[in-house]
Amino acid sequence: MSSGGGKGAAAKGGGGKGGGGGKKKEVKKETKLGMAYKKDDNFGEWYSEVVVNSEMIEYYDISGCYILRPWAMEIWELLKEFFDAEIKKLKLKPYYFPLFVTENVLQKEKDHIEGFAPEVAWVTKSGKSDLEAPIAIRPTSETVMYPYFSKWIRSHRDLPLRCNQWCNVVRWEFSNPTPFIRSREFLWQEGHTAFATKEEADEEVLQILELYRRIYEEFLAVPVSKGRKSEMEKFAGGLYTTSVEAFIPNTGRGIQGATSHCLGQNFAKMFDITYENEKGAREMVWQNSWAYTTRSIGVMVMTHGDDKGLVLPPRVAPIQVIVIPVPYKDADTTAIKGACESAAYTLNESGFRADLDTRENYSPGWKYSHWEMKGVPLRIEIGPKDLANKQVRVVRRDNGAKVDIPVANLVEEVKALLDEIQANLLKTAKEKRDGCIEVIHTWDEFTTALNNKRLILAPWCDEEEVEKDVKARTKGDLGAAKTLCTPFDQPELPEGTLCFASGKPAKKWSFWGRSY
C-alpha cells in the first residue's frame, strides 16, 4: 500500500460540486473538492487521499509519523470514553509509566525483546554528549512496568494488580508506512494485570477481548472474528494470544484489530514477581497484557469509505448531523438561517452532536461535498420550500437516501435514522466480509483462493513447521500467507479431515490469508 499518494491531491483535489444555490461571486473557485482516486481502482492512493482530504491526518516531515487532527482525535476520544468506563468497572486503575527503558531491563526477557528488537528506537546522545548507556523508547511496556510489579506485590492481599495506561509507543523498523495502519509512533491503551491464579487470568483475557469486539462492531461497525493466534504468531514471551481480526475485501488482507494476551508466568519468573499465599508459601503470579491502538480508526476508514471520501458510523462521528442553509434568489435568508440555528440547537440539546455550516463564501453544493468527504452521517438542508412546509430535508451519507421530515418530529426521526445508519454499515460490511470467506480443503484450492483475495478457512494440523512452510511457499510480491487466527466459533471438523497443507490429520479450522 502506498503511504503518501494522496498528499498532492489533498490540497486541491479533482473536480467536485461547485454549484448549488449560492451566489457565484461568493464561491471560492480555487478550492475544489473531489477524489482523484477510486477505491476499487487504486486502493492505496484512495486511502491516502481520504485520510488527508477528510482532515483526519496531516503528513509530517519524518517518514511514518503523522499529525492526528481533531477529526481523528475526537473519534479516538469517543472510543476511549467507552473503553475506559468499561475497564474501570473491572477495577482497572490508571497509571503512567515513563517513555524510556534501560537496555539491561529491556534485554532481561530474551524471547520478548527478540520479537521487538528490529523496531526498538534508541537514544544515544544528550545534546552533543554520548550517553553512558543507550536508552530505549518503549515499543511496549512489559519491561518498563514489571520491575515495579515485583516491588509492589508482596502478599496475596496485593492481588489482583490491574493497571492501564493511555500513551504512545514507538516501533521504528518497517516498510510502507500507512497512516493509522502502520506508523512509527502510535497511540494506544495498554492494560497490564497480575493474578494469583491462571483461571482469573484466563477469564480476564476473554472479558477484554469482548470489549475489543464491541469497539469494532458496536462503535466502528466493522465485523471481526474472535480467536486465538498460532504459536508462531502469538505475542513474543507470552503463553497465548487472542485477537479480534478484521478483513479488508478490496485488498484481500486480514488485519489484526486488537490483542489480549495471557503472559502466563514467563515475566513473573524473569522479574521475580511473587507473592506470599494464605499458607505463607511464595508463588509466582499469572499475568496478562492487552491493547488496542489508533489502527482501529484506519480499519474503519478502509471498511466504510467510498469514492466520495470518508463514511463515519454515527456512534463515533465527531459531528453526527450537519445543518446547511440553502438560500435561493430573493429567499428570506434571515428566516432560513434562523430555522437552521433552531434545528442545530434542538438536536444538540437532545444529546446529538450537531453543527451548523453558515459560511457565506461557499455554495451549498461545495458544503455538501465537503461534509460528505468528512463522512458526516446525516446532512440537513433547509431552503425556502422547507421553511414554508415546516420541514427539513435529511440526506444519509451511507446510501444517499433523502427524506423530508416535519420539524415537529426532528429529534425522533434523526435518532431513528442514525440508529439505522449504524446498523446498516455493520450489516453491509459483514455481508461483504462474509462474501469473501472461502472454505478450502486442498493446497490448490488454497492458492486459488489466496490469489482471488479471499479470507480462507482451512483445516490445519496446528504444527508450526507447516505454517512456516506455507509462508515460504506463498512468499511473493504481495507478501506471504499466514494464519490470522483460529476462530473460537469452530465449524464441525468431520473425522478423517486432513490438513490442506501437510495432509496430516487436521486438528482445527483456522483463518489464513495475507495481512497488513
Side-chain angles (χ1 to χ4, degrees), residues 79 82 86 89 208-222 224 226 244 315:
L79 296 178
F82 160 74
E86 290 296 322
K89 289 178 193 172
I208 298 297
L209 196 68
E210 173 59 12
L211 291 180
Y212 292 151
R213 182 202 66 77
R214 289 183 63 193
I215 283 171
Y216 275 93
E217 296 194 342
E218 294 179 16
F219 285 80
L220 301 171
V222 172
V224 289
K226 292 200 292 188
V244 289
R315 289 192 77 176

Side-chain angles (χ1 to χ4, degrees), residues 326-343:
V326 190
Y328 290 98
K329 198 177 175 184
D330 303 325
D332 185 346
T333 54
T334 305
I336 289 171
K337 190 179 174 187
C340 288
E341 287 170 351
S342 174

Side-chain angles (χ1 to χ4, degrees), residues 28 89 182 217 231 288 328 338 343 346 360 387 402 480:
K28 283 189 173 178
K89 289 178 193 172
R182 191 167 286 277
E217 296 194 342
E231 284 298 298
N288 293 337
Y328 290 98
T346 300
E360 292 178 358
L387 201 60
K402 299 178 181 181

